[in-house]
C-alpha cells in the first residue's frame, strides 16, 4: 500500500462513507474528504518529478489468478498532472454544486467521489484489464450525474453518452483479450516489452486492427471528429459539476489512452495511420470552431470549442516529435483548467438567470464586474493568449505539426483565428453593452464560495502560462521515453523486413 | 555578441509598468483618482528613467547587450529563454515608447478626469506599456510575439473601453480578430524559422541568415518574410488588413495617440526592421513590402481627404504614414523607416492629443463641419497643433521633412516612379491635414458649444511634443542606427528634395484656397465627382466587401452547412440512425429475451467467443 494506492482508494472509501452518513451533512463531508484526497495527491509530485520517465509508486500484485489479472499501478510524468487535475477538480466541483444540487444530495456527492475513483484509477492502471475496469467504472457515475441531475433532455443525452462510449470500449475489450491470447498477460509493461522485442509478432494487419480497436475507443472519448456528437448533448444536459468533470478529466482519458497505449504498443500502425488521423483532427479543429461560432447556447458553444481544442491534442500526438507530443499533453491539462473554468462560470450565470441561451444575457459586466473579469481572463486563456496556459500548449502543438508537415500547421492555425471569433463574440453579447432589466434583476456578482472554486483555476492559467517548465519538464521526460519506445519498435520492424 | 557590461536589470523597464497595472487593477477602486494617477504616471516615468540610465551606462552600445533570466519553454531541441536585449534599434524604440508614453499618461490624467472607470483605464494603459516594452526588448521571436499579442489585447480592451456602446465593442472585436489574421501569418513564419534555422533566438537566426545569399533563391526564406509581412500588415494597419484602425478611434483619444498612432502600430515596422537580416536575402519579399507600403500610403491618403471626423482624418493619416514606413523598409532603407517611426510618433501623437484637446473643449464634438474659428478660443491647442501640422506637411526644417525626405530619396534610388507616387502622396498629406486645420481653427465657429482651453496637464505634454515635432528632425536617427543598419552612400539630390517640399506647400496652398478663400468650392467639386467621391468617402466600400465575401459567407455557411447540415444532419443523423437500427434489430431479437439469466450468460459467452475467434482467424492467418 503506497501513497498512490491511497489516492486511488480513498475516493472509493469516501463514496461508501457518503452513502452511510446523513444527507444533511454530505456536502460538507464530500468537501472535506475530497480536499484530503487532493492534499494526499500532492505528495505524489516530489518522487515523480525526481524521476519522471520511470514509474513511481509502482504496485504489482496478483488480483485474479486465472486469467492472470494483476493489480499493477504506477505513474510517471505523463499521468502525474492528470491525477492532480482530477483530485483538484473534485473539491472544486463540490463547491460549485453547493446550492445548485438540492435533491438527492447524498447520491450526487457519492457519485462525484465514485467518478474520482474511476478516473484516478484509469490514469494509474498499468494492467490492461485493470485499466478497462476503471474505464468502465467512470461510466456509471457520469451516467447518473447526467441522468438524474441534468436538464430536460437528460435521458436522451445520458443514454447516448453511455452507449457511444460502450460501443468503443467493447472494441477495446476485444483487443485486450486478443493481446492476452498472444502474450498470456494483461500487464501493459510486459506486453509492451514483448511487442517491442518481437516476441509477440503481430502481422501488419493485426497491428492495424488492434490499433484501431484501441484508438476508436479512445477517439470517441476525446472526442475526435466525427465521433463527437454525443459531447454537445451531454454537456448541455449535464449539471455544472458534471460538465466540468466531463470536459476537464473524462475527455483526457481518451487523449491519455492514445499516448499511453496506442503509441508504444502499435507504433507502426500509429505512424501509418497518422496522416488520416491528423486529417480528422484538422477537420475537427476548424469545423468545431466554426460550429461553435454560430451556437446560440453557451454550453454548446463551449462543447464545440472543446472539439476544436482536443483536435490540437490529437494533432500534436500524431506529429511524432517531442514538441508535438509535449504540446499535446500540456494541452490536455490546459483544456482541463480553462474549459473547466468556463463551464463553472457558465454554470454561475445559469444559477442566476436560469438560461444557457446567450441572448438571455447582455451587460453582465455592469452588474457583476468581478465575474466579468474572471470570465475575461478565462476567455483569453481559452483563445491562447501568451502568458496564459493554452498558449504554451498550442504553440508546441503547432510547432510540432509544422515540423511533421507544414500544411498541418497552416490548417490548424486557422482554428486559432476562429477561436478568437467565437469567444469574443460570446463575451461581447453576454457581458458588454447595456444591461437589460431582467439581467439587472437576477444577475449578481460572484460570491465568495464561487470565487474560491474558480480562483485555483485562474491561478493555474497564469502559473502554467508563465512558469511552464515546472509542469512541462516531467511531461517532456516521459514523452521522450514514449517516443523512443515507439521509434525503436518501428526501426526494428523495418530491419526485420529487410 | 555578449557585451562586457554588467547586468543593467533591463527587466525593470517592462516590469515597472506591470506593477502599476497590478496595483491599479487590483486596488484601484479603493485608491482614489490621485493615487491611481500617481501610480500610473509614476511607474511609466520610472521606466523612462530606467531606460535613460541603461542607455547611458551602455553607450556607445555598438553591440547588443543581452540579459537572460531563465527558461520559459523547453521541449526537445526547442528552447525559449526569457531573454531581453538592447541595441541601438531597441534603444530608439524604448525612448519613444517610454518618453511619449509618459507624456500621454500625464495628458490622460486630465483628459479622463471626468470619466467612469478611471482606474480601469490606467490599468490597461500600464499593461500596454508592459507588453510594448517586452516587444521591443525581446531577444527571440516568441518573446516578441508575447508582446505583440499583449499589445493587441490592450488595444482590444481600450478600444472597447466604453463597453456600453455597441460600436465600441464591435470595433474592439474587429481589431482583435483582424490582428489574429495577421498573427496567423506571424506564427506560421515562426514555425518555419524554427524548422529551417533550428532556433527562434535573434542572434542565432540572423547569424545563419547572413551566411545565405539572395541569389540562391530560397523559396522558404521568401515564404518566411512574406508571412512575417502578413503579421506586420495586421499590427501596422497595412493593406489588406488596415480596416481595423479607423474603427479603433472608438477608444478614448489618449489611446488613439499612444497605441494607435505613436507606438503599437509601429510594431510591424519594428519587427520587419528587426528581421532585416532575413529580408535582405529575400528580394521578392522586399519588393512586396514596398508595394504594400506604397499602395497603403496612397489609398489611405485619398480617404483622409474626404473624412469629416477629426479623429478619422488622423487615423487614415496614420495608416498612410505607416505605408511610408513600409515603403522605406521595402526599399532597404530600414533606418529611414525607423526615423519616420520616431518623427511620426512626435507629430502624430501631438495631432491626436491636440484633437483630444479640441474635442474636450467642445464637449465631445468630433465633426470638423461643426467647428471653425477655434484659433482664438483655444490658442495653446492651436499653436501646438500648428507645429504638428508643419511637421507632417514636410515643411523644412521641421521633423517630418527630414524623415520623409530620407524615404523619398530611398524610393527614388529603388524605383524612380515610386518616388513620384510618394511625392503625390506627400501633397495629399499636406492637403488633408491643412483642410482639417483650416476647417477647425479658421473661419467662423459653426458649432453651439462654449469652447474652453484645456488644463495645463493636457497643454503641457502638447508643448513638449510641439518642440519635438519642430526639432525632432535633428535627432540624426539614421546615423545613430549605423551599427545596426549600415548607411547606404546615396547622393543627396537637392532637386528631388525641392520637388517634394513644393508638393507639400502646394497641398497647403490648395487647402487654403478651398477651405478659407472659397469654402463653397469643395462641395461643388464633390458633387461634380459624384460616384467617385462617394466611393472614396465610403472608404472604397472595403468593409462592405470584406463582410460580403468573407464574414457573412463564413457565418452563414457555418450555421446552415457545417452545423445544421453536416454536424446535426449527417454526422449526428448517422449516430441516431445507428441507434434506431439497433432498436429495430432489438425488436426482432427480443424473442431471445427469455428472462432466464443462465441463457443470457450463455449468449454473452458465445458472443465473446465469436469475436475472439474472428480476431484470431484474421490476425492469426498471417502470423
Amino acid at each position: 500500500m503506497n501513497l498512490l494506492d491511497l489516492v486511488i482508494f480513498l475516493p472509493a472509501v469516501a463514496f461508501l462513507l457518503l452513502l452511510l452518513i446523513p444527507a444533511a451533512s454530505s456536502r460538507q463531508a464530500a468537501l472535506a474528504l475530497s480536499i484530503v484526497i487532493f492534499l494526499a495527491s500532492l505528495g505524489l509530485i516530489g518522487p515523480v518529478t525526481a524521476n519522471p520517465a520511470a514509474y513511481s509508486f509502482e504496485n504489482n500484485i496478483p488480483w485474479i489468478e486465472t486469467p492472470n489479472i494483476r493489480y499493477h499501478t504506477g505513474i510517471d510524468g505523463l499521468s502525474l498532472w492528470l491525477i492532480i487535475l482530477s483530485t483538484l477538480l473534485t473539491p472544486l466541483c463540490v463547491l460549485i454544486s453547493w446550492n445548485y444540487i438540492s435533491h438527492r444530495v447524498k447520491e450526487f456527492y457519492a457519485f462525484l467521489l465514485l467518478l474520482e475513483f474511476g478516473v484516478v484509477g484509469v490514469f494509474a492502471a498499468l494492467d490492461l484489464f485493470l485499466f478497462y475496469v476503471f474505464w468502465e467504472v467512470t461510466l456509471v457515475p457520469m451516467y447518473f450525474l447526467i441522468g438524474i441531475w441534468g436538464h430536460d433532455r437528460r435521458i436522451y443525452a445520458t443514454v447516448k453518452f453511455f452507449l457511444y462510449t460502450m460501443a468503443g470500449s467493447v472494441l477495446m475489450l476485444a483487443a485486450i483479450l486478443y493481446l492476452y491470447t498472444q502474450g498470456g498477460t494483461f500487464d501493459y509493461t510486459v506486453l509492451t516489452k514483448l511487442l517491442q522485442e518481437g516476441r509477440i509478432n503481430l502481422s501488419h494487419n493485426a497491428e492495424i486492427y488492434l490499433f484501431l480497436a484501441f484508438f476508436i475507443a479512445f477517439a470517441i472519448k476525446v472526442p475526435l471528429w466525427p465521433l463527437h456528437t454525443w459531447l454537445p448533448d451531454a454537456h448541455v444536459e449535464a449539471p455544472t459539476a458534471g460538465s466540468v468533470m466531463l470536459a476537464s478529466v473524462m475527455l483526457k482519458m481518451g487523449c491519455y489512452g492514445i499516448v499511453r497505449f496506442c503509441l508504444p504498443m502499435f507504433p507502426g500502425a500509429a505512424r501509418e495511420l497518422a496522416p488520416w488521423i491528423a486529417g480528422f483532427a484538422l477537420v475537427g479543429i476548424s469545423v468545431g470552431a466554426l460550429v461553435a461560432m454560430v451556437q446560440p447556447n453557451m454550453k454548446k458553444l463551449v462543447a464545440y470549442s472543446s472539439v476544436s481544442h482536443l483536435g490540437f491534442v490529437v494533432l500534436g500526438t500524431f506529429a511524432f516529435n517531442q514538441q508535438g507530443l509535449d504540446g499535446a499533453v500540456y494541452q490536455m491539462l490546459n483544456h482541463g483548467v480553462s474549459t473547466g473554468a468556463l463551464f463553472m462560470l457558465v454554470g454561475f450565470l445559469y444559477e442566476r438567470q436560469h438560461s444557457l441561451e446567450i441572448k438571455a444575457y447582455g451587460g453582465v459586466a455592469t452588474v457583476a464586474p468581478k465575474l466579468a473579469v474572471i470570465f475575461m481572463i478565462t476567455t483569453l486563456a481559452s483563445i491562447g493568449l501568451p502568458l496564459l496556459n493554452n498558449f504554451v500548449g498550442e504553440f508546441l502543438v503547432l510547432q510540432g505539426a509544422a515540423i511533421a508537415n507544414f500544411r498541418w500547421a497552416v490548417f490548424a492555425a486557422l482554428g486559432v483565428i476562429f477561436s478568437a471569433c467565437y469567444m469574443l463574440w460570446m463575451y461581447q453579447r453576454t457581458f458588454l453593452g447595456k444591461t437589460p432589466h431582467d439581467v439587472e434583476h437576477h444577475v449578481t456578482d460572484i460570491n465568495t464560495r464561487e470565487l474560491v472554486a474558480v480562483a485555483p483555476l485562474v491561478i493555474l492559467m497564469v502559473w502554467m502560462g508563465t512558469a511552464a517548465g515546472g509542469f512541462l519538464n516531467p511531461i517532456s521526460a516521459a514523452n521522450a521515453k514514449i517516443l523512443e519506445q515507439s521509434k525503436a519498435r518501428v526501426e526494428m520492424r523495418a530491419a526485420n523486413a529487410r | 555578441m555578449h557585451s562586457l557590461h554588467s547586468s543593467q536589470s533591463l527587466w525593470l523597464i517592462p516590469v515597472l509598468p506591470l506593477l502599476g497595472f497590478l496595483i491599479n487593477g487590483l486596488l484601484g477602486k479603493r485608491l482614489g483618482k490621485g493615487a491611481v494617477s500617481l501610480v500610473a504616471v509614476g511607474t511609466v516615468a520610472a521606466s523612462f528613467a530606467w531606460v535613460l540610465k541603461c542607455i547611458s551606462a551602455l553607450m556607445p552600445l555598438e553591440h547588443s547587450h543581452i540579459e537572460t533570466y531563465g527558461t520559459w519553454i523547453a521541449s526537445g531541441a526547442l528552447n525559449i529563454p526569457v531573454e531581453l536585449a538592447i541595441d541601438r534599434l531597441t534603444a530608439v524604440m524604448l525612448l519613444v515608447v517610454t518618453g511619449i508614453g509618459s507624456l500621454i499618461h500625464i495628458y490622460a490624467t486630465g483628459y479622463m478626469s471626468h470619466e467612469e472607470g478611471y482606474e480601469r483605464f490606467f490599468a490597461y494603459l500600464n499593461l500596454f506599456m508592459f507588453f510594448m516594452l517586452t516587444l521591443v526588448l525581446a531577444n527571440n521571436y516568441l518573446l516578441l510575439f508575447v508582446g505583440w499579442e499583449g499589445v493587441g489585447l490592450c488595444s482590444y480592451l481600450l478600444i472597447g473601453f466604453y463597453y456600453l456602446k455597441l460600436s465600441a465593442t464591435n470595433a474592439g472585436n474587429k481589431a482583435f480578430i483582424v490582428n489574429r489574421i495577421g498573427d496567423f501569418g506571424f506564427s506560421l513564419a515562426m514555425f518555419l524559422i524554427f524548422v529551417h534555422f533550428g532556433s527562434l533566438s535573434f542572434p542565432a537566426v540572423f547569424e545563419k541568415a547572413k551566411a545565405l545569399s539572395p541569389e540562391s533563391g530560397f523559396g522558404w526564406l521568401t515564404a518566411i518574410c512574406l508571412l512575417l509581412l502578413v503579421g506586420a500588415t495586421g499590427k501596422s494597419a497595412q493593406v489588406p488588413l488596415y480596416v481595423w484602425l479607423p474603427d479603433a478611434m472608438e477608444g478614448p483619444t489618449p489611446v488613439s495617440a499612444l497605441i494607435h498612432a505613436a507606438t503599437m502600430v509601429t510594431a510591424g515596422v519594428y519587427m520587419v526592421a528587426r528581421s532585416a537580416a532575413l529580408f535582405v536575402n529575400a528580394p521578392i519579399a522586399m519588393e512586396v513590402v514596398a508595394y504594400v507600403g506604397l499602395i497603403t500610403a496612397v489609398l489611405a491618403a485619398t480617404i483622409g481627404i474626404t473624412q469629416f471626423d477629426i479623429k478619422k482624418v488622423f487615423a487614415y493619416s496614420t495608416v498612410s504614414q505607416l505605408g511610408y514606413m513600409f515603403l522605406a523598409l521595402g526599399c532597404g532603407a530600414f533606418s529611414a523607416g525607423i526615423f519616420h517611426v520616431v518623427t511620426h510618433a512626435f507629430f502624430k501623437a501631438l495631432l491626436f492629443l491636440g484633437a483630444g484637446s479640441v474635442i474636450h473643449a467642445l464637449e465631445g464634438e468630433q465633426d470638423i463641419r461643426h467647428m471653425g474659428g477655434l484659433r482664438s478660443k483655444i490658442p495653446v491647442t492651436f499653436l501646438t497643433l500648428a507645429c504638428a501640422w508643419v511637421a507632417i506637411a514636410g515643411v523644412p526644417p521641421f521633423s517630418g521633412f527630414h524623415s520623409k525626405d530620407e524615404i523619398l530619396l530611398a524610393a527614388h534610388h529603388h524605383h524612380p516612379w515610386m518616388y513620384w507616387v510618394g511625392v503625390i502622396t506627400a501633397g495629399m498629406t499636406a492637403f488633408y491635414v491643412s483642410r482639417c486645420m483650416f476647417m477647425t481653427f479658421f473661419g467662423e465657429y459653426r458649432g453651439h458649444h462654449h469652447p474652453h482651453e484645456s488644463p495645463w496637464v493636457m497643454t503641457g505634454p502638447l508643448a513638449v511634443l510641439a518642440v519635438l515635432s519642430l526639432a525632432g528632425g535633428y535627432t540624426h536617427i539614421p546615423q545613430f542606427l549605423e551599427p545596426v543598419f549600415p548607411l547606404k552612400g546615396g547622393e543627396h539630390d537637392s532637386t528631388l528634395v525641392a520637388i517634394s517640399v513644393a508638393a507639400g506647400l502646394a497641398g497647403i496652398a490648395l487647402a487654403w484656397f478651398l477651405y478659407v478663400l472659397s469654402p463653397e468650392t469643395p462641395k461643388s467639386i464633390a458633387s461634380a465627382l459624384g460616384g467617385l467621391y462617394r466611393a472614396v468617402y465610403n472608404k472604397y466600400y472595403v468593409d462592405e466587401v470584406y463582410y460580403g465575401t468573407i464574414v457573412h459567407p463564413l457565418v452563414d455557411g457555418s450555421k446552415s452547412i457545417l452545423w445544421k447540415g453536416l454536424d446535426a444532419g449527417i454526422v449526428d443523423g448517422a449516430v441516431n440512425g445507428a441507434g434506431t437500427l439497433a432498436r429495430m434489430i432489438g425488436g426482432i431479437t427480443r424473442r431471445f429475451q427469455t428472462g432466464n439469466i443462465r441463457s443470457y450468460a450463455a449468449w454473452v459467452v458465445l458472443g465473446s467467443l465469436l469475436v475472439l475467434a474472428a480476431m484470431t482467424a484474421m490476425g492469426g492467418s498471417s502470423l
Side-chain angles (χ1 to χ4, degrees):
Chain A
M1 193 82 181
N2 60 38
L3 181 62
L4 178 63
D5 301 320
L6 195 70
V7 174
I8 295 173
F9 283 102
L10 267 180
V13 174
F15 162 71
L16 294 174
L17 271 177
L18 285 170
L19 289 177
L20 293 176
I21 60 171
S25 49
S26 48
R27 50 184 195 184
Q28 286 86 349
L31 183 63
L33 289 166
S34 57
I35 290 178
V36 168
I37 297 164
F38 170 63
L39 294 176
S41 72
L42 292 180
L44 301 172
I45 296 175
V48 176
T49 48
N51 189 6
Y55 295 114
S56 302
F57 300 103
E58 215 173 331
N59 192 357
N60 192 353
I61 50 172
W63 176 24
I64 300 169
E65 289 296 333
T66 349
N68 180 16
I69 298 171
R70 303 185 71 80
Y71 176 83
H72 187 186
T73 51
I75 52 171
D76 62 0
L78 171 62
S79 37
L80 170 70
W81 302 120
L82 288 164
I83 289 181
I84 306 280
L85 183 68
S86 314
T87 56
L88 168 67
L89 279 164
T90 307
L92 303 185
C93 280
V94 174
L95 276 177
I96 57 172
S97 307
W98 208 256
N99 294 337
Y100 183 86
I101 299 301
S102 52
H103 78 293
R104 308 185 72 171
V105 178
K106 176 200 278 205
E107 290 88 341
F108 180 86
Y109 292 107
F111 280 132
L112 199 59
L113 270 295
L114 183 63
L115 181 61
E116 184 179 18
F117 168 64
V119 165
V120 173
V122 161
F123 293 133
L126 292 177
D127 180 282
L128 287 180
F129 201 89
L130 184 68
F131 173 78
Y132 181 77
V133 169
F134 279 122
W135 180 273
E136 296 294 302
V137 163
T138 61
L139 274 186
V140 179
M142 187 50 80
Y143 175 79
F144 287 117
L145 285 178
I146 300 173
I148 298 177
W149 294 275
H151 299 287
D152 299 343
R153 292 179 71 229
R154 58 182 181 270
I155 301 299
Y156 167 75
T158 199
V159 169
K160 193 173 181 179
F161 157 77
F162 195 90
L163 288 182
Y164 219 138
T165 316
M166 274 301 280
S169 49
V170 166
L171 285 175
M172 178 165 70
L173 180 62
I176 291 175
L177 293 176
Y178 177 80
L179 283 173
Y180 181 75
T181 64
Q182 298 296 303
T185 178
F186 287 110
D187 192 304
Y188 160 71
T189 53
V190 177
L191 278 171
T192 315
K193 207 155 178 252
L194 292 176
L195 284 163
Q196 264 166 13
E197 290 166 359
R199 283 194 275 159
I200 301 178
N201 202 358
L202 297 174
S203 69
H204 175 260
N205 284 350
E207 188 181 343
I208 298 268
Y209 289 135
L210 287 171
F211 170 82
L212 281 177
F214 275 92
F215 181 76
I216 290 172
F218 296 142
I220 288 171
K221 204 80 180 180
V222 168
L224 179 67
W225 191 92
L227 303 173
H228 66 285
T229 52
W230 62 271
L231 184 76
D233 288 321
H235 269 315
V236 170
E237 300 306 324
T240 305
S243 286
V244 172
M245 288 307 276
L246 183 62
S248 298
V249 185
M250 286 191 79
L251 305 187
K252 307 304 149 7
M253 290 165 34
C255 311
Y256 167 81
I258 295 172
V259 178
R260 173 68 84 213
F261 299 110
C262 287
L263 258 48
M265 290 205 296
F266 317 112
R271 276 163 207 253
E272 195 176 326
L273 296 175
W276 291 94
I277 295 167
F280 283 117
L282 289 171
V283 172
I285 289 171
S286 284
V287 172
L290 287 171
V291 173
M293 201 162 78
V294 292
Q295 293 305 311
N297 180 302
M298 289 187 197
K299 269 192 160 182
K300 263 203 169 155
L301 189 152
V302 182
Y304 277 107
S305 85
S306 294
V307 175
S308 181
H309 281 152
L310 292 163
F312 277 95
V313 174
V314 175
L315 181 70
T317 306
F318 285 88
F320 284 105
N321 53 46
Q322 188 75 46
Q323 290 79 22
L325 194 55
D326 286 357
V329 177
Y330 208 56
Q331 208 51 3
M332 293 180 200
L333 304 171
N334 290 333
H335 179 264
V337 170
S338 51
T339 305
L342 269 180
F343 275 121
M344 273 188 194
L345 295 164
V346 169
F348 297 162
L349 286 173
Y350 178 81
E351 281 185 68
R352 289 156 168 76
Q353 179 77 340
H354 299 291
S355 176
L356 291 171
E357 298 295 310
I358 296 173
K359 67 171 186 290
Y361 296 87
V364 172
T366 310
V367 285
K370 280 185 219 146
L371 183 63
V373 170
I374 294 170
F375 206 108
M376 182 88 246
I377 297 172
T378 310
T379 297
L380 296 174
S382 178
I383 64 180
L385 205 87
L387 301 189
L388 297 172
N389 56 350
N390 279 269
F391 176 76
V392 178
E394 258 175 29
F395 166 70
L396 287 173
V397 166
L398 288 169
Q399 183 66 72
I403 293 169
N405 183 338
F406 187 66
R407 274 170 301 177
W408 293 358
V410 175
F411 285 109
L414 281 177
V416 180
I417 302 179
F418 300 142
S419 76
C421 298
Y422 62 74
M423 288 308 293
L424 292 182
W425 285 343
M426 171 166 84
Y427 191 84
Q428 179 190 27
R429 285 177 289 165
T430 310
F431 284 89
L432 306 179
K434 293 196 180 71
T435 319
H437 266 299
D438 58 326
V439 172
E440 202 177 340
H441 238 66
H442 295 125
V443 180
T444 50
D445 210 346
I446 193 166
N447 63 38
T448 313
R449 174 180 54 80
E450 292 166 332
L451 191 65
V452 170
V454 76
L457 299 181
V458 175
I459 292 168
L460 275 174
M461 289 172 207
V462 179
W463 190 358
M464 293 174 70
T466 48
F471 299 93
L472 191 59
N473 295 348
I475 295 172
S476 205
N479 283 344
K481 191 180 146 204
I482 287 170
L483 281 174
E484 194 49 51
Q485 282 176 340
S486 89
K487 212 162 96 190
R489 163 102 177 108
V490 171
E491 279 162 4
M492 195 205 71
R493 181 177 279 281
N496 284 353
R498 278 199 296 273
Chain B
M1 291 292 272
H2 280 273
S3 74
L4 299 170
H5 292 279
S6 56
S7 167
Q8 297 297 320
S9 300
L10 292 178
W11 58 274
L12 268 176
I13 297 171
V15 166
L16 282 165
L18 181 68
L19 273 178
F21 159 73
L22 291 174
I23 295 170
N24 280 341
L26 294 173
L27 310 168
K29 283 218 167 70
R30 275 169 244 169
L31 284 178
K33 279 188 182 170
V36 168
S37 325
L38 194 69
V39 168
V41 176
T43 52
V44 176
S47 179
F48 178 53
W50 200 253
V51 167
L52 290 176
K53 182 247 160 206
C54 289
I55 292 175
S56 62
L58 292 169
M59 277 310 271
L61 201 57
E62 274 166 358
H63 298 289
S64 189
H65 169 82
I66 298 170
E67 293 184 3
T68 310
Y69 308 108
T71 302
W72 179 28
I73 301 173
S75 167
L78 179 88
N79 193 312
I80 309 291
V82 182
E83 201 165 70
L84 302 182
I86 183 168
D87 63 357
R88 287 196 174 191
L89 173 59
T90 293
V92 170
M93 294 302 290
L94 284 176
L95 287 170
V96 170
V97 172
T98 54
I100 306 233
S102 301
L103 289 174
I104 294 176
H105 273 71
I106 295 168
Y107 173 96
T109 59
Y111 187 87
M112 299 299 290
S113 57
H114 305 299
E115 298 279 356
E116 284 280 322
Y118 189 80
E119 70 289 332
R120 187 164 58 93
F121 177 83
F122 280 102
Y124 291 163
L125 215 54
N126 277 4
L127 184 65
F128 166 78
M129 294 298 287
F130 162 70
F131 281 120
M132 189 70 208
L133 292 165
T134 305
L135 193 160
V136 295
L137 278 165
N139 197 37
N140 60 61
Y141 276 103
L142 198 67
L143 205 54
L144 189 152
F145 192 69
V146 170
W148 185 271
E149 289 276 297
V151 291
L153 164 70
C154 298
S155 165
Y156 158 81
L157 291 170
L158 285 160
I159 294 168
F161 179 75
Y162 302 115
Y163 65 89
L164 299 180
K165 254 173 86 184
L166 184 66
S167 56
T169 57
N170 278 342
N173 282 354
K174 187 173 172 182
F176 199 102
I177 290 163
V178 172
N179 269 292
R180 265 276 155 125
I181 298 170
D183 299 346
F184 166 77
F186 190 166
S187 54
L188 290 178
M190 272 198 300
F191 304 142
L192 271 186
I193 289 173
F194 182 73
V195 168
H196 289 284
F197 291 98
S199 174
L200 289 177
S201 180
F202 292 148
V205 172
F206 301 151
E207 200 63 37
K208 284 189 185 162
K210 276 179 192 137
L212 306 170
S213 69
E215 289 77 27
S216 13
F218 295 101
W220 54 266
L221 190 61
T222 306
I224 288 173
C225 291
L226 288 176
L227 287 167
L228 286 175
L229 176 65
V230 171
T233 56
K235 193 64 72 199
S236 292
Q238 296 296 291
V239 168
L241 297 180
Y242 68 96
V243 289
W244 65 273
L245 184 60
D247 292 28
M249 298 302 127
E250 291 283 345
T253 306
V255 172
S256 311
L258 178 62
I259 300 182
H260 303 122
T263 56
M264 183 190 83
V265 290
T266 63
V269 183
Y270 167 77
M271 187 264 280
V272 173
R274 176 56 76 200
S275 312
L278 301 178
F279 277 87
V280 290
N281 284 319
I284 298 172
M286 286 287 272
E287 205 62 26
V288 176
V289 173
Y291 274 89
V292 165
L294 198 62
I295 292 169
T296 309
V298 176
L299 187 87
T302 55
I303 300 174
I305 291 175
T306 59
Q307 300 302 304
F308 291 109
D309 181 321
I310 188 168
K311 284 181 73 179
K312 282 268 160 82
V313 174
F314 294 155
Y316 280 103
S317 165
T318 304
V319 175
S320 175
Q321 296 296 308
L322 288 164
Y324 259 110
M325 298 171 205
F326 276 85
L327 173 63
L329 300 175
C331 296
F334 297 101
S335 54
I338 297 296
F339 191 15
H340 203 56
V341 166
V342 176
T343 59
H344 177 258
F346 297 154
F347 60 69
K348 189 54 65 66
L350 178 52
L351 282 175
F352 270 112
L353 294 186
S357 181
V358 171
I359 295 165
H360 191 78
L362 301 179
E363 288 152 39
E365 181 62 71
Q366 296 190 193
D367 192 324
I368 51 177
R369 284 170 295 192
H370 303 143
M371 297 179 184
L374 296 177
R375 196 170 23 156
S376 53
K377 297 194 168 68
I378 44 174
V380 182
T381 303
F382 168 68
L383 280 175
T384 51
L385 264 182
C387 299
W389 176 18
V390 292
I392 190 175
V395 177
F398 307 119
S399 63
F401 160 75
H402 294 271
S403 52
K404 202 177 283 186
D405 195 37
E406 293 268 349
I407 293 174
L408 288 175
L409 286 178
H412 190 267
H413 191 70
H414 192 66
H415 289 307
W417 68 269
M418 286 189 164
Y419 164 85
W420 290 105
V421 178
V423 165
I424 295 167
T425 310
M428 288 196 279
T429 306
F431 176 77
Y432 65 67
V433 177
S434 307
R435 163 181 175 268
C436 194
M437 291 297 290
F438 290 134
M439 286 182 74
T440 306
F441 291 103
F442 291 75
E444 292 296 310
Y445 180 54
R446 299 179 291 275
H448 43 264
H449 293 286
H450 301 284
H452 54 93
E453 186 58 277
S454 298
W456 68 267
V457 284
M458 289 168 68
T459 52
L462 293 183
V464 178
L465 285 169
V467 173
L468 291 171
S469 297
L470 294 179
Y474 295 95
T475 44
H476 300 298
I477 300 287
Q479 289 74 17
F480 180 73
L481 288 176
E482 231 195 310
V484 191
F485 308 116
L487 278 178
K488 290 187 180 165
E491 73 287 13
H492 205 78
D493 190 331
S494 38
T495 322
L496 296 179
V497 178
I499 292 171
S500 70
V501 169
L505 294 175
I508 298 175
L510 185 63
W512 170 260
F513 173 74
L514 287 177
Y515 294 96
V516 178
L517 295 183
S518 170
E520 289 309 307
T521 324
K523 274 178 206 147
S524 51
I525 295 176
S527 57
L529 288 174
L532 180 65
Y533 173 79
R534 275 195 303 280
V536 181
Y537 178 72
N538 288 302
K539 307 143 197 167
Y540 301 102
Y541 302 103
V542 172
D543 273 329
E544 286 77 2
V545 170
Y546 282 180
Y547 274 100
T549 58
I550 300 169
V551 180
H552 292 313
L554 203 61
V555 172
D556 296 345
S558 296
K559 195 170 198 162
S560 54
I561 299 172
L562 290 180
W563 179 29
K564 301 247 160 93
L566 179 66
D567 205 78
I570 298 174
V571 177
D572 204 33
V575 173
N576 287 332
T580 316
L581 191 69
R583 212 172 324 172
M584 250 166 59
I585 296 170
I588 298 163
T589 52
R590 199 169 54 187
R591 293 152 222 277
F592 298 107
Q593 299 257 4
T594 55
N596 182 337
I597 294 182
R598 263 180 301 176
S599 80
Y600 290 162
W603 283 116
V604 170
V605 170
L606 190 65
S608 310
L609 284 177
L610 274 175
V611 171
L612 271 178
M615 290 207 64
T616 319
M618 276 188 297
S621 61
S622 46
L623 273 175

